Structure formats: structure tokens, C-alpha cells
Amino acid sequence: MLNSSLDRTFAALADPTRRAMVERLVQGPATVSELARPLPMSLPAAMLHLKVLEDSGLVTSEKNGRVRTCRIDPARLSLAERWVSERRQMWEARLDRLGAFLDETEETP
Amino acid sequence: MLNSSLDRTFAALADPTRRAMVERLVQGPATVSELARPLPMSLPAAMLHLKVLEDSGLVTSEKNGRVRTCRIDPARLSLAERWVSERRQMWEARLDRLGAFLDETEETP
DNA sequence: CTTATTGTCAAGCGTTTACTTAAGTATTTT
DNA sequence: AAAATACTTAAGTAAACGCTTGACAATAAG
């Protein structure tokens, strides 16, 4: 399905814990522990959130030795941004058409 | 909480049914039935989705007589758009700083 | 070799989500 | 007034989420 990646991306961003992780990762790569440390939950819980972010494609990671380094994928951020932006633009385009129609209609009152 | 509106907005957009409703509403206002008709589910189910959209603030509605008319609130679309956009920009800013640093470091090789 | 660090897997539990069908209310239309 | 329309509420169910604790790697450091 074409949209299921949008599903997962928006769902990933719907949680404050996961947005906090994104917020951290836009400053640069981080390990699993670094991401989990500030969070008010157990490490396994944090890893589940991380898994949601990875499944959405917003975050990628690679393991070297015993440490896994995570980084954000800005392309996925753009994907979500673009969907919203395009819909807002459609809405604006409709308003423009409506305005033009009204201008035409009320010529020489 | 300041962020719970972002929570609800992203959560609302995470579902294909609700995105389809948004997609419809950017073309202009619609009634509950008009929104529900194309969907492969019962009317009450569609109304639950609509409620999620309203709770998020993405959609508003008013009832005249027996028909409820729904319209989108583009400001809420912008809210989501802006959050994503700002984070993507933070990520880009970091890359810029990194580039500048590397340029400085490798002067006169 | 022993120990600490870093991450992972699994089982369990309570809450929330996404529907369903059935019944009911308010407003038009005939 | 009777019937159709448009929406709303309620009750119930199955699946998904978010978290916990506990046990268990694998790697690095002393």
C-alpha cells in the first residue's frame, strides 16, 4: 500500500516520547542509551518507541560493537511535511477560486 | 499540556480514513453523510473518525437543522506542517555547521 | 578471567482504538 | 400525521498500544 508509510510516519510523530527522540536526533546521531536516558521509562520501553520510529523510516540505526547509533532520515520528515503542505495548498487554491468567482459575479453592482 | 494538540493532530493524520476525510474537506465543506458515503464502514464508525478530527482541531462543524456541515481548519494543518519543517531545518542547520567546521579544519592542506 | 556496560527478548497486564449492530432523536418532506 | 432523512448514542468485541519486570546476550574494560 502506498499510504502505509504515511500512516506509520504520522503515527510515529503522534507520541511525545518519540517526538522527543526526533528532537534529539536532529541535533545529531545518538546511541540507544543516550536517547533513553532522559525519558521517564525503562530502557525496553524506550526501545519499543525507537522501533516505531525505525519502522516508520524516520530513523535508521547501525550497530558497532555493543553500541547502536541512531540517526534521523530527513527524507521521511519531508514526506510528512509535503503531505500536509500540499493539502493546505489545495485548501488555499479553493479559496482563490471562490474569490475569483465572487469577483466575476459582482461585476458592476 | 502544550504538546497534546500536536499529539492529537498527528494521531488524527495517521489514519487513512481520516486523511481521506481531510482530502475531501480541502475541496470544500461537506456533510457527515458526504464524508461517510465513500468509506467502507458504517456511519457510526465514520463519525468516530470525524470526532477524532474534531478533537484534534483539524476539523470544525456546525449543525443546521438535521445536517452537520464540516470544514477543515487550515491553521491546524499549518501547526503540524511547521513542527516537521522546523525539525528538518534543525537537521539541515547541523549539517551546515558540520560543513563549515570541516572547511575550517582542512584549510591549507 | 571477571565484571560492568549496552542492548535485546519475552511474558504479562491494563488501556485505548476501531469497529459492529441496534435503537433512538430531531428535522424535513409528503 | 406519517414516513423518510440525517445524525447520535449505547453496548459489546477483538486487536493494538504502552508499559513493566526479569532473564539473557554480546562486547569492552579492569
Short mmCIF file of all heavy atoms in Angstrom, two decimals, chain D residues 1-2 4-7 11-12 15-16 18 20 23-25 27-30:
data_model
loop_
_atom_site.label_atom_id
_atom_site.label_comp_id
_atom_site.label_asym_id
_atom_site.label_seq_id
_atom_site.Cartn_x
_atom_site.Cartn_y
_atom_site.Cartn_z
P DA D 1 -50.71 15.34 14.20
OP1 DA D 1 -51.55 15.46 15.40
OP2 DA D 1 -49.44 14.68 14.24
"O5'" DA D 1 -51.72 14.80 13.05
"C5'" DA D 1 -52.44 13.58 13.00
"C4'" DA D 1 -51.87 12.70 11.92
"O4'" DA D 1 -51.19 13.46 10.89
"C3'" DA D 1 -50.83 11.71 12.44
"O3'" DA D 1 -51.08 10.47 11.81
"C2'" DA D 1 -49.50 12.30 12.01
"C1'" DA D 1 -49.87 12.97 10.71
N9 DA D 1 -49.03 14.13 10.34
C8 DA D 1 -48.70 15.20 11.12
N7 DA D 1 -47.98 16.10 10.50
C5 DA D 1 -47.82 15.58 9.23
C6 DA D 1 -47.14 16.06 8.08
N6 DA D 1 -46.50 17.21 8.06
N1 DA D 1 -47.19 15.29 6.99
C2 DA D 1 -47.85 14.14 7.03
N3 DA D 1 -48.53 13.59 8.04
C4 DA D 1 -48.46 14.36 9.13
P DA D 2 -50.29 9.15 12.19
OP1 DA D 2 -51.24 8.01 12.19
OP2 DA D 2 -49.46 9.42 13.38
"O5'" DA D 2 -49.37 8.98 10.91
"C5'" DA D 2 -49.99 8.87 9.61
"C4'" DA D 2 -48.94 8.57 8.57
"O4'" DA D 2 -48.15 9.77 8.33
"C3'" DA D 2 -47.93 7.48 8.96
"O3'" DA D 2 -47.66 6.71 7.80
"C2'" DA D 2 -46.72 8.27 9.46
"C1'" DA D 2 -46.79 9.53 8.61
N9 DA D 2 -46.28 10.74 9.24
C8 DA D 2 -46.41 11.12 10.55
N7 DA D 2 -45.89 12.28 10.82
C5 DA D 2 -45.37 12.70 9.60
C6 DA D 2 -44.68 13.87 9.22
N6 DA D 2 -44.39 14.86 10.05
N1 DA D 2 -44.31 13.97 7.92
C2 DA D 2 -44.62 12.98 7.07
N3 DA D 2 -45.27 11.83 7.32
C4 DA D 2 -45.62 11.77 8.61
P DA D 4 -41.13 5.51 3.90
OP1 DA D 4 -41.48 4.93 2.59
OP2 DA D 4 -40.84 4.67 5.08
"O5'" DA D 4 -39.88 6.47 3.67
"C5'" DA D 4 -40.01 7.57 2.77
"C4'" DA D 4 -38.99 8.62 3.14
"O4'" DA D 4 -39.29 9.16 4.44
"C3'" DA D 4 -37.55 8.08 3.22
"O3'" DA D 4 -36.76 8.90 2.38
"C2'" DA D 4 -37.19 8.23 4.70
"C1'" DA D 4 -38.08 9.38 5.13
N9 DA D 4 -38.40 9.43 6.54
C8 DA D 4 -38.94 8.44 7.32
N7 DA D 4 -39.14 8.78 8.57
C5 DA D 4 -38.70 10.09 8.63
C6 DA D 4 -38.63 11.03 9.67
N6 DA D 4 -39.04 10.77 10.93
N1 DA D 4 -38.13 12.25 9.39
C2 DA D 4 -37.73 12.51 8.14
N3 DA D 4 -37.73 11.72 7.07
C4 DA D 4 -38.24 10.51 7.39
P DT D 5 -35.23 8.59 2.13
OP1 DT D 5 -34.91 8.96 0.74
OP2 DT D 5 -34.95 7.25 2.68
"O5'" DT D 5 -34.54 9.67 3.08
"C5'" DT D 5 -34.87 11.04 2.91
"C4'" DT D 5 -34.11 11.86 3.92
"O4'" DT D 5 -34.66 11.66 5.23
"C3'" DT D 5 -32.62 11.53 4.03
"O3'" DT D 5 -31.94 12.76 3.90
"C2'" DT D 5 -32.47 10.88 5.41
"C1'" DT D 5 -33.61 11.56 6.16
N1 DT D 5 -34.20 10.85 7.33
C2 DT D 5 -34.38 11.56 8.49
O2 DT D 5 -34.06 12.73 8.62
N3 DT D 5 -34.96 10.86 9.52
C4 DT D 5 -35.36 9.53 9.49
O4 DT D 5 -35.88 9.01 10.48
C5 DT D 5 -35.16 8.84 8.26
C7 DT D 5 -35.56 7.42 8.12
C6 DT D 5 -34.58 9.53 7.24
P DA D 6 -30.39 12.86 3.73
OP1 DA D 6 -30.12 14.10 2.99
OP2 DA D 6 -29.84 11.56 3.29
"O5'" DA D 6 -29.98 13.10 5.24
"C5'" DA D 6 -30.21 14.37 5.84
"C4'" DA D 6 -29.59 14.36 7.21
"O4'" DA D 6 -30.40 13.54 8.08
"C3'" DA D 6 -28.18 13.76 7.25
"O3'" DA D 6 -27.33 14.70 7.91
"C2'" DA D 6 -28.33 12.46 8.02
"C1'" DA D 6 -29.56 12.75 8.88
N9 DA D 6 -30.33 11.57 9.27
C8 DA D 6 -30.60 10.44 8.55
N7 DA D 6 -31.34 9.56 9.18
C5 DA D 6 -31.57 10.15 10.41
C6 DA D 6 -32.28 9.73 11.55
N6 DA D 6 -32.93 8.56 11.62
N1 DA D 6 -32.32 10.56 12.61
C2 DA D 6 -31.68 11.74 12.54
N3 DA D 6 -30.97 12.25 11.52
C4 DA D 6 -30.96 11.39 10.49
P DC D 7 -25.75 14.33 8.00
OP1 DC D 7 -25.05 15.61 7.87
OP2 DC D 7 -25.36 13.18 7.18
"O5'" DC D 7 -25.71 13.93 9.54
"C5'" DC D 7 -26.28 14.86 10.47
"C4'" DC D 7 -26.69 14.13 11.73
"O4'" DC D 7 -27.46 12.96 11.47
"C3'" DC D 7 -25.54 13.66 12.61
"O3'" DC D 7 -25.51 14.52 13.74
"C2'" DC D 7 -25.93 12.22 13.00
"C1'" DC D 7 -27.40 12.18 12.64
N1 DC D 7 -27.96 10.83 12.38
C2 DC D 7 -28.77 10.26 13.37
O2 DC D 7 -28.99 10.89 14.41
N3 DC D 7 -29.31 9.02 13.15
C4 DC D 7 -29.06 8.38 12.00
N4 DC D 7 -29.61 7.18 11.84
C5 DC D 7 -28.24 8.95 10.98
C6 DC D 7 -27.71 10.16 11.21
P DA D 11 -25.41 1.47 27.51
OP1 DA D 11 -26.45 1.35 28.56
OP2 DA D 11 -24.12 2.14 27.81
"O5'" DA D 11 -25.10 0.01 26.96
"C5'" DA D 11 -26.06 -0.63 26.11
"C4'" DA D 11 -25.38 -1.79 25.40
"O4'" DA D 11 -24.72 -1.30 24.20
"C3'" DA D 11 -24.30 -2.47 26.23
"O3'" DA D 11 -24.43 -3.87 26.06
"C2'" DA D 11 -23.01 -1.94 25.66
"C1'" DA D 11 -23.39 -1.79 24.19
N9 DA D 11 -22.59 -0.85 23.41
C8 DA D 11 -22.06 0.35 23.82
N7 DA D 11 -21.39 0.98 22.87
C5 DA D 11 -21.48 0.12 21.78
C6 DA D 11 -20.98 0.21 20.47
N6 DA D 11 -20.25 1.24 20.03
N1 DA D 11 -21.25 -0.80 19.63
C2 DA D 11 -21.97 -1.84 20.08
N3 DA D 11 -22.51 -2.03 21.29
C4 DA D 11 -22.21 -1.00 22.10
P DG D 12 -23.62 -4.91 26.98
OP1 DG D 12 -24.55 -5.97 27.41
OP2 DG D 12 -22.80 -4.16 27.96
"O5'" DG D 12 -22.65 -5.55 25.89
"C5'" DG D 12 -23.20 -6.06 24.67
"C4'" DG D 12 -22.09 -6.27 23.69
"O4'" DG D 12 -21.62 -4.99 23.19
"C3'" DG D 12 -20.84 -6.95 24.30
"O3'" DG D 12 -20.49 -8.06 23.50
"C2'" DG D 12 -19.78 -5.87 24.25
"C1'" DG D 12 -20.22 -5.08 23.04
N9 DG D 12 -19.66 -3.75 22.92
C8 DG D 12 -19.61 -2.75 23.87
N7 DG D 12 -19.02 -1.66 23.44
C5 DG D 12 -18.66 -1.96 22.13
C6 DG D 12 -18.00 -1.19 21.15
O6 DG D 12 -17.57 -0.03 21.25
N1 DG D 12 -17.84 -1.88 19.95
C2 DG D 12 -18.27 -3.17 19.73
N2 DG D 12 -18.03 -3.68 18.52
N3 DG D 12 -18.89 -3.91 20.62
C4 DG D 12 -19.05 -3.25 21.79
P DA D 15 -8.92 -10.74 16.93
OP1 DA D 15 -8.85 -11.56 15.70
OP2 DA D 15 -8.64 -11.32 18.27
"O5'" DA D 15 -7.98 -9.47 16.73
"C5'" DA D 15 -8.43 -8.38 15.92
"C4'" DA D 15 -7.61 -7.16 16.26
"O4'" DA D 15 -8.09 -6.59 17.51
"C3'" DA D 15 -6.12 -7.44 16.45
"O3'" DA D 15 -5.45 -6.54 15.59
"C2'" DA D 15 -5.88 -7.18 17.95
"C1'" DA D 15 -6.97 -6.15 18.26
N9 DA D 15 -7.43 -6.06 19.64
C8 DA D 15 -7.85 -7.07 20.47
N7 DA D 15 -8.23 -6.65 21.66
C5 DA D 15 -8.04 -5.27 21.61
C6 DA D 15 -8.26 -4.26 22.55
N6 DA D 15 -8.72 -4.46 23.79
N1 DA D 15 -7.98 -2.98 22.17
C2 DA D 15 -7.52 -2.76 20.93
N3 DA D 15 -7.27 -3.63 19.96
C4 DA D 15 -7.56 -4.90 20.37
P DA D 16 -3.85 -6.46 15.50
OP1 DA D 16 -3.51 -6.23 14.08
OP2 DA D 16 -3.26 -7.59 16.26
"O5'" DA D 16 -3.54 -5.10 16.28
"C5'" DA D 16 -4.22 -3.92 15.90
"C4'" DA D 16 -3.75 -2.78 16.78
"O4'" DA D 16 -4.30 -2.94 18.10
"C3'" DA D 16 -2.23 -2.69 16.95
"O3'" DA D 16 -1.91 -1.31 16.92
"C2'" DA D 16 -2.00 -3.32 18.33
"C1'" DA D 16 -3.26 -2.88 19.06
N9 DA D 16 -3.70 -3.72 20.18
C8 DA D 16 -3.80 -5.08 20.23
N7 DA D 16 -4.26 -5.54 21.38
C5 DA D 16 -4.47 -4.39 22.14
C6 DA D 16 -4.94 -4.18 23.44
N6 DA D 16 -5.31 -5.18 24.26
N1 DA D 16 -5.03 -2.90 23.88
C2 DA D 16 -4.67 -1.92 23.06
N3 DA D 16 -4.22 -1.98 21.82
C4 DA D 16 -4.14 -3.26 21.41
P DG D 18 1.77 3.45 21.54
OP1 DG D 18 1.55 4.91 21.45
OP2 DG D 18 2.88 2.80 20.83
"O5'" DG D 18 1.90 3.07 23.08
"C5'" DG D 18 1.05 3.72 24.04
"C4'" DG D 18 1.58 3.39 25.41
"O4'" DG D 18 1.30 1.99 25.69
"C3'" DG D 18 3.11 3.53 25.51
"O3'" DG D 18 3.40 4.21 26.72
"C2'" DG D 18 3.63 2.10 25.49
"C1'" DG D 18 2.47 1.35 26.11
N9 DG D 18 2.35 -0.05 25.73
C8 DG D 18 2.67 -0.63 24.53
N7 DG D 18 2.44 -1.92 24.50
C5 DG D 18 1.94 -2.21 25.76
C6 DG D 18 1.51 -3.43 26.32
O6 DG D 18 1.48 -4.55 25.81
N1 DG D 18 1.06 -3.28 27.63
C2 DG D 18 1.05 -2.09 28.32
N2 DG D 18 0.60 -2.12 29.58
N3 DG D 18 1.44 -0.94 27.80
C4 DG D 18 1.88 -1.07 26.52
P DT D 20 7.88 1.78 32.24
OP1 DT D 20 8.15 2.79 33.29
OP2 DT D 20 8.84 1.56 31.14
"O5'" DT D 20 7.60 0.37 32.96
"C5'" DT D 20 6.57 0.29 33.96
"C4'" DT D 20 6.43 -1.15 34.42
"O4'" DT D 20 5.95 -1.95 33.29
"C3'" DT D 20 7.76 -1.79 34.81
"O3'" DT D 20 7.90 -1.77 36.22
"C2'" DT D 20 7.64 -3.23 34.35
"C1'" DT D 20 6.52 -3.24 33.34
N1 DT D 20 6.96 -3.58 31.96
C2 DT D 20 6.84 -4.88 31.54
O2 DT D 20 6.41 -5.77 32.25
N3 DT D 20 7.25 -5.12 30.24
C4 DT D 20 7.75 -4.19 29.36
O4 DT D 20 8.07 -4.53 28.22
C5 DT D 20 7.86 -2.84 29.87
C7 DT D 20 8.40 -1.77 28.99
C6 DT D 20 7.47 -2.61 31.13
P DA D 23 14.76 -13.41 36.96
OP1 DA D 23 14.47 -14.61 37.77
OP2 DA D 23 15.69 -12.38 37.46
"O5'" DA D 23 15.26 -13.89 35.53
"C5'" DA D 23 14.33 -14.56 34.67
"C4'" DA D 23 14.94 -14.61 33.28
"O4'" DA D 23 14.93 -13.27 32.71
"C3'" DA D 23 16.39 -15.09 33.24
"O3'" DA D 23 16.52 -15.99 32.16
"C2'" DA D 23 17.17 -13.81 33.04
"C1'" DA D 23 16.21 -13.04 32.14
N9 DA D 23 16.44 -11.59 32.08
C8 DA D 23 16.59 -10.72 33.12
N7 DA D 23 16.79 -9.47 32.75
C5 DA D 23 16.77 -9.54 31.37
C6 DA D 23 16.92 -8.55 30.37
N6 DA D 23 17.12 -7.26 30.64
N1 DA D 23 16.84 -8.95 29.09
C2 DA D 23 16.63 -10.24 28.82
N3 DA D 23 16.47 -11.26 29.66
C4 DA D 23 16.55 -10.83 30.94
P DC D 24 17.86 -16.84 31.99
OP1 DC D 24 17.47 -18.20 31.55
OP2 DC D 24 18.73 -16.63 33.16
"O5'" DC D 24 18.52 -16.10 30.73
"C5'" DC D 24 17.72 -15.88 29.58
"C4'" DC D 24 18.51 -15.05 28.60
"O4'" DC D 24 18.48 -13.66 28.98
"C3'" DC D 24 19.99 -15.43 28.50
"O3'" DC D 24 20.29 -15.60 27.14
"C2'" DC D 24 20.69 -14.25 29.14
"C1'" DC D 24 19.75 -13.13 28.72
N1 DC D 24 19.89 -11.82 29.42
C2 DC D 24 20.01 -10.66 28.65
O2 DC D 24 20.00 -10.74 27.42
N3 DC D 24 20.14 -9.47 29.28
C4 DC D 24 20.15 -9.41 30.61
N4 DC D 24 20.28 -8.22 31.18
C5 DC D 24 20.02 -10.59 31.42
C6 DC D 24 19.90 -11.76 30.79
P DA D 25 21.61 -16.34 26.61
OP1 DA D 25 21.44 -16.53 25.15
OP2 DA D 25 21.98 -17.48 27.48
"O5'" DA D 25 22.66 -15.20 26.90
"C5'" DA D 25 23.67 -15.01 25.98
"C4'" DA D 25 23.18 -14.25 24.78
"O4'" DA D 25 22.41 -13.09 25.20
"C3'" DA D 25 24.35 -13.72 23.99
"O3'" DA D 25 24.14 -13.84 22.62
"C2'" DA D 25 24.52 -12.28 24.46
"C1'" DA D 25 23.19 -11.93 25.10
N9 DA D 25 23.35 -11.38 26.46
C8 DA D 25 23.27 -12.02 27.66
N7 DA D 25 23.42 -11.23 28.69
C5 DA D 25 23.60 -9.98 28.13
C6 DA D 25 23.80 -8.70 28.70
N6 DA D 25 23.86 -8.49 30.01
N1 DA D 25 23.97 -7.67 27.87
C2 DA D 25 23.90 -7.89 26.54
N3 DA D 25 23.71 -9.03 25.88
C4 DA D 25 23.56 -10.05 26.76
P DT D 27 29.68 -9.48 19.70
OP1 DT D 27 29.47 -8.90 18.36
OP2 DT D 27 30.33 -10.79 19.89
"O5'" DT D 27 30.46 -8.39 20.55
"C5'" DT D 27 29.92 -7.08 20.56
"C4'" DT D 27 30.49 -6.33 21.72
"O4'" DT D 27 30.19 -6.98 22.96
"C3'" DT D 27 32.01 -6.18 21.69
"O3'" DT D 27 32.24 -4.80 21.62
"C2'" DT D 27 32.49 -6.80 23.01
"C1'" DT D 27 31.24 -6.66 23.85
N1 DT D 27 31.06 -7.53 25.04
C2 DT D 27 30.94 -6.94 26.27
O2 DT D 27 30.97 -5.73 26.43
N3 DT D 27 30.76 -7.80 27.31
C4 DT D 27 30.69 -9.18 27.26
O4 DT D 27 30.52 -9.85 28.27
C5 DT D 27 30.83 -9.75 25.94
C7 DT D 27 30.76 -11.23 25.76
C6 DT D 27 31.01 -8.91 24.90
P DA D 28 33.66 -4.16 21.26
OP1 DA D 28 33.45 -2.99 20.39
OP2 DA D 28 34.56 -5.26 20.86
"O5'" DA D 28 34.09 -3.63 22.69
"C5'" DA D 28 33.20 -2.72 23.33
"C4'" DA D 28 33.69 -2.45 24.73
"O4'" DA D 28 33.44 -3.60 25.57
"C3'" DA D 28 35.18 -2.14 24.84
"O3'" DA D 28 35.26 -0.94 25.58
"C2'" DA D 28 35.76 -3.36 25.56
"C1'" DA D 28 34.57 -3.85 26.36
N9 DA D 28 34.49 -5.28 26.64
C8 DA D 28 34.59 -6.32 25.75
N7 DA D 28 34.42 -7.50 26.28
C5 DA D 28 34.18 -7.23 27.62
C6 DA D 28 33.93 -8.06 28.72
N6 DA D 28 33.85 -9.40 28.65
N1 DA D 28 33.74 -7.46 29.92
C2 DA D 28 33.81 -6.13 30.00
N3 DA D 28 34.04 -5.23 29.04
C4 DA D 28 34.22 -5.86 27.86
P DA D 29 36.62 -0.25 25.98
OP1 DA D 29 36.37 1.20 25.96
OP2 DA D 29 37.71 -0.85 25.18
"O5'" DA D 29 36.79 -0.71 27.50
"C5'" DA D 29 35.73 -0.44 28.42
"C4'" DA D 29 36.17 -0.78 29.83
"O4'" DA D 29 36.08 -2.23 30.04
"C3'" DA D 29 37.61 -0.39 30.16
"O3'" DA D 29 37.59 0.14 31.48
"C2'" DA D 29 38.40 -1.70 30.02
"C1'" DA D 29 37.34 -2.74 30.43
N9 DA D 29 37.44 -4.05 29.80
C8 DA D 29 37.74 -4.34 28.49
N7 DA D 29 37.73 -5.62 28.21
C5 DA D 29 37.39 -6.22 29.41
C6 DA D 29 37.20 -7.57 29.78
N6 DA D 29 37.33 -8.59 28.93
N1 DA D 29 36.85 -7.82 31.07
C2 DA D 29 36.71 -6.80 31.92
N3 DA D 29 36.86 -5.48 31.68
C4 DA D 29 37.20 -5.27 30.41
P DG D 30 38.89 0.35 32.34
OP1 DG D 30 38.66 1.57 33.15
OP2 DG D 30 40.07 0.27 31.42
"O5'" DG D 30 38.91 -0.91 33.30
"C5'" DG D 30 37.99 -0.99 34.39
"C4'" DG D 30 38.48 -2.04 35.39
"O4'" DG D 30 38.56 -3.32 34.72
"C3'" DG D 30 39.89 -1.77 35.92
"O3'" DG D 30 39.95 -2.14 37.30
"C2'" DG D 30 40.80 -2.66 35.09
"C1'" DG D 30 39.88 -3.84 34.76
N9 DG D 30 40.14 -4.46 33.46
C8 DG D 30 40.50 -3.85 32.30
N7 DG D 30 40.66 -4.68 31.29
C5 DG D 30 40.39 -5.93 31.84
C6 DG D 30 40.40 -7.21 31.23
O6 DG D 30 40.64 -7.50 30.06
N1 DG D 30 40.07 -8.20 32.15
C2 DG D 30 39.76 -7.99 33.47
N2 DG D 30 39.46 -9.07 34.17
N3 DG D 30 39.74 -6.79 34.04
C4 DG D 30 40.08 -5.81 33.16
#
